[in-house]
Amino acid sequence: MPRRGLILQTRTHWLLLGLALLCSLVLFLYLLECAPQTDGNAPLPGVIGENYGKEYYQALLQEQEEHYQTRATSLKRQIAQLKQELQEMSEKMRSLQERKNVGANGIGYQGNKEQTPSDLLEFLHSQIDKAEVSIGAKLPSEYGVIPFESFTLMKVFQLEMGLTRHPEEKPVRKDKQDELVEVIEAGLEVINNPDEDDEQEEEDSPLGEKMIFNENDFIEGYYRTERDKGTQYELFFKKADLMEYRHVTLFRPFGPLMKVKSEMIDITRSIINIIVPLAERTEAFAQFMQNFSESNFHNYTLIPLNEEFNRGQGLNVGAQAWDKGEVLMFFCDVDIYFSAEFLNSCRLNAEPGKKVFYPVVFSLYNPAIVYASQDVPPPVEQQLVHKKDSGFWRDFGFGMTCQYRSDFLTIGGFDMEVKGWGGEDVHLYRKYLHGDLIVIRTPVPGLFHLWHEKRCADELTPEQYRMCIQSKAMNEASHSHLGMLVFREEIETHLHKQAYRTNSEAVG
């Protein structure tokens, strides 16, 4: 018995030892399989003395691109999870809602008229109150402004383009498509099913039926997002056979869409006083008057000044010369081309004592460069397109503005200490930012700055001269076209070599 017990103990010992060795082997093989592959012969990036070719840097770029794609995929997954959590939260909120007339509580489009709990409503309304929706926020400078982006049924006009986005494009991202469709539907719901407090009258069609608006009646819209409050939407609708516009303001405080305001706007009696300061530039003035006449304008007033040109002074004189009471003013330049639709946008987005309109102009590049492949550039009307190689949104310019005369005089007009080119428009813009008026800043499709040769005078101050040169450089051509000009010699040398090689092969 003792011998058998010893044998059994010995066998158990060896069995455990074998199992331990087997586990160690499996672990070793696992580590070998999972260890990252290395190339002992690959040179370290950035070692001094190595000659790196085009393929090396392409590989580095490919590696970086894959890294960013992986990161983007991870972020998309996190965003999807957050959206799922938000959806679950919204469903919980919806299950707690009680049916009630939501008009008195300011809730907008939800598909049905239900009321959220009072504490949640209070929070959502507080977000609207904090945002710059009903009253302007005092800002220190132009850099603190959150601009709007404008859109129609088919296009979005955006300021921030980068290397892949365009100044005008269709909303290709599905989330953006869904967002804009939802917002337009919400605006239609507000108009077609108004609450008692809505500032609009019930209108009937010629057949006596209730007038129903649809998506084809949507004219234009603007939206902007304050990251700590939510997204604001300004929507405008109009029937082709009616003169009045329907204006709906919605706000999404990182939750359901809420109605802020719904009103009817009649612009038929809204006169616009277009003020254009000018010194010399007779050819440009002739072109401006030709465009102006095409819009059926016939009432002109010329105010001559026998003094050194000062843009701010000219606009001040033009504003003060009007003696027929309140009027909407459009401060314009002789190089600007505008459409009748833009003038309607001007009327819709300026309101005395409440709002001033600072549209962002689309500035056209030098047509001699843009259309270099053609014998002559096309007519001006055919150059008015929003393409990356044809122009850019002039977001650093504040000279074009629509404001009421009373607001302009109350703010103190232009600073007469500013002489020569540039600066006076920024000073006026800052005055409005320091006040209580809402500043609407957005790109608009019907406003173009035509290219012209720019001369920066020696008499300008260093700051003005720097601004002038900067403007001159940005006005010339797009990044890609300027690149083609810089590398013109290299391109021509390449083409000569290609032609020589082709001829040699043909002879041989």
Side-chain angles (χ1 to χ4, degrees):
M1 290 298 294
R3 182 181 297 274
R4 179 178 295 178
L6 180 62
I7 294 173
L8 181 59
Q9 184 178 3
T10 304
R11 288 179 179 176
T12 303
H13 173 76
W14 284 106
L15 180 60
L16 292 175
L17 182 60
L19 287 174
L21 291 173
L22 180 60
C23 290
S24 300
L25 179 61
V26 170
L27 180 59
F28 179 73
L29 292 175
Y30 175 79
L31 291 175
L32 286 177
E33 182 68 22
C34 295
Q37 300 295 324
T38 60
D39 185 1
N41 297 324
L44 292 174
V47 176
I48 298 176
E50 289 286 350
N51 293 323
Y52 298 104
K54 179 180 178 181
E55 294 78 7
Y56 173 80
Y57 291 106
Q58 286 181 339
L60 282 181
L61 288 174
Q62 179 67 26
E63 181 181 350
Q64 289 295 322
E65 184 177 356
E66 292 174 356
H67 169 74
Y68 289 129
Q69 286 179 351
T70 303
R71 178 61 177 162
T73 302
S74 174
L75 291 174
K76 288 179 180 178
R77 184 168 59 252
Q78 295 178 36
I79 291 172
Q81 292 173 353
L82 291 173
K83 285 184 176 180
Q84 179 64 29
E85 293 175 6
L86 181 60
Q87 180 66 27
E88 293 174 358
M89 185 179 298
S90 299
E91 291 175 358
K92 291 179 181 179
M93 289 164 49
R94 206 172 288 122
S95 66
L96 297 174
Q97 291 175 347
E98 301 175 359
R99 289 191 170 275
K100 189 177 180 181
N101 184 355
V102 295
N105 294 294
I107 298 295
Y109 175 73
Q110 277 295 313
N112 54 23
K113 294 193 173 182
E114 297 181 352
Q115 181 186 7
T116 56
S118 58
D119 56 343
L120 177 61
L121 270 178
E122 184 178 350
F123 169 74
L124 296 179
H125 281 296
S126 70
Q127 291 294 93
I128 297 177
D129 294 337
K130 293 176 185 176
E132 191 181 359
V133 178
S134 301
I135 187 172
K138 295 183 179 180
L139 301 173
S141 71
E142 62 273 20
Y143 302 107
V145 175
I146 302 176
F148 287 85
E149 292 190 344
S150 58
F151 66 98
T152 62
L153 276 179
M154 301 301 297
K155 297 176 181 177
V156 174
F157 304 93
Q158 53 204 4
L159 291 179
E160 298 182 6
M161 294 182 295
L163 294 177
T164 58
R165 301 174 70 186
H166 298 271
E168 169 192 301
E169 63 183 23
K170 295 180 180 179
V172 292
R173 278 175 36 187
K174 186 177 184 302
D175 60 336
K176 180 58 66 178
Q177 290 178 348
D178 294 344
E179 175 192 4
L180 298 183
V181 168
E182 179 191 7
V183 167
I184 293 174
E185 290 179 351
L188 290 171
E189 174 71 15
V190 170
I191 293 174
N192 293 327
N193 298 285
D195 296 326
E196 294 178 358
D197 60 338
D198 288 341
E199 299 177 14
Q200 56 189 41
E201 301 175 359
E202 292 288 340
E203 289 195 38
D204 296 333
S205 67
L207 298 178
E209 302 174 349
K210 179 182 178 182
M211 181 130 354
I212 300 296
F213 285 74
N214 58 51
E215 64 178 15
N216 294 323
D217 301 318
F218 177 68
I219 303 299
E220 63 183 3
Y222 312 113
Y223 67 91
R224 67 175 175 184
T225 299
E226 296 184 61
R227 299 193 178 187
D228 60 337
K229 300 177 184 69
T231 304
Q232 174 186 352
Y233 305 91
E234 302 289 341
L235 311 176
F236 297 93
F237 300 83
K238 182 181 179 298
K239 286 284 187 184
D241 53 349
L242 296 179
M243 300 303 295
E244 299 84 4
Y245 285 78
R246 299 296 181 90
H247 173 215
V248 177
T249 300
L250 302 175
F251 194 81
R252 189 196 301 274
F254 301 115
L257 274 173
M258 301 181 68
K259 184 196 76 179
V260 178
K261 181 174 64 175
S262 177
E263 62 181 349
M264 183 183 298
I265 303 178
D266 184 1
I267 63 172
T268 55
R269 295 184 178 88
S270 180
I271 298 174
I272 298 183
N273 190 7
I274 303 174
I275 306 176
V276 183
L278 179 66
E280 302 175 346
R281 306 288 309 282
T282 53
E283 292 184 6
F285 182 64
Q287 176 69 50
F288 178 84
M289 293 305 296
Q290 179 181 348
N291 303 334
F292 197 69
S293 301
E294 290 175 359
S295 302
N296 296 321
F297 293 98
H298 305 288
N299 187 7
Y300 313 109
T301 301
L302 179 64
I303 305 176
L305 297 177
N306 187 20
E307 58 186 60
E308 182 184 357
F309 175 73
N310 182 306
R311 184 177 184 272
Q313 171 68 1
L315 293 172
N316 269 346
V317 170
Q320 294 169 357
W322 180 268
D323 58 359
K324 299 178 183 178
E326 184 69 290
V327 68
L328 176 59
M329 304 184 302
F330 171 38
F331 292 161
C332 188
D333 281 343
V334 72
D335 307 301
I336 295 298
Y337 185 104
F338 57 86
S339 64
E341 290 75 18
F342 163 73
L343 295 180
N344 286 336
S345 298
C346 183
R347 293 181 174 101
L348 292 170
N349 290 286
E351 187 175 352
K354 292 186 178 181
K355 293 188 296 184
V356 293
F357 187 40
Y358 270 86
V360 181
V361 182
F362 192 76
S363 190
L364 298 177
Y365 291 131
N366 186 345
I369 298 177
V370 176
Y371 305 99
S373 59
Q374 304 181 21
D375 295 334
V376 293
V380 170
E381 292 75 15
Q382 297 179 21
Q383 299 179 29
L384 305 179
V385 293
H386 303 96
K387 293 184 178 179
K388 209 163 191 175
D389 283 335
S390 65
F392 66 101
W393 292 113
R394 200 182 186 90
D395 59 346
F396 57 85
F398 305 96
M400 308 309 114
T401 172
C402 298
Q403 55 197 277
Y404 275 85
R405 184 174 183 268
S406 59
D407 293 328
F408 177 74
L409 297 179
T410 300
I411 210 74
F414 285 99
D415 185 355
M416 292 297 96
E417 297 299 322
V418 179
K419 304 295 182 183
W421 187 93
E424 79 290 331
D425 51 354
V426 180
H427 283 77
L428 180 67
Y429 186 59
R430 289 172 181 168
K431 284 185 178 181
Y432 282 115
L433 296 181
H434 296 163
D436 294 326
L437 298 186
I438 297 175
V439 177
I440 304 295
R441 176 75 167 161
T442 184
V444 290
L447 192 63
F448 293 86
H449 178 270
L450 306 180
W451 182 89
H452 61 88
E453 185 70 36
K454 187 178 293 292
R455 186 183 68 87
C456 299
D458 294 333
E459 295 79 17
L460 297 177
T461 66
E463 178 64 17
Q464 288 177 322
Y465 191 83
R466 184 192 63 81
M467 293 171 60
C468 185
I469 289 295
Q470 180 186 31
S471 177
K472 183 175 182 178
M474 296 189 66
N475 272 299
E476 202 63 23
S478 66
H479 193 158
S480 59
H481 278 155
L482 288 176
M484 296 294 286
L485 292 175
V486 170
F487 298 111
R488 176 186 294 175
E489 244 182 71
E490 185 176 335
I491 295 171
E492 290 178 352
T493 301
H494 172 74
L495 293 176
H496 285 314
K497 288 181 179 179
Q498 289 290 97
Y500 177 77
R501 187 179 295 113
T502 303
N503 293 335
S504 299
E505 291 175 355
V507 172

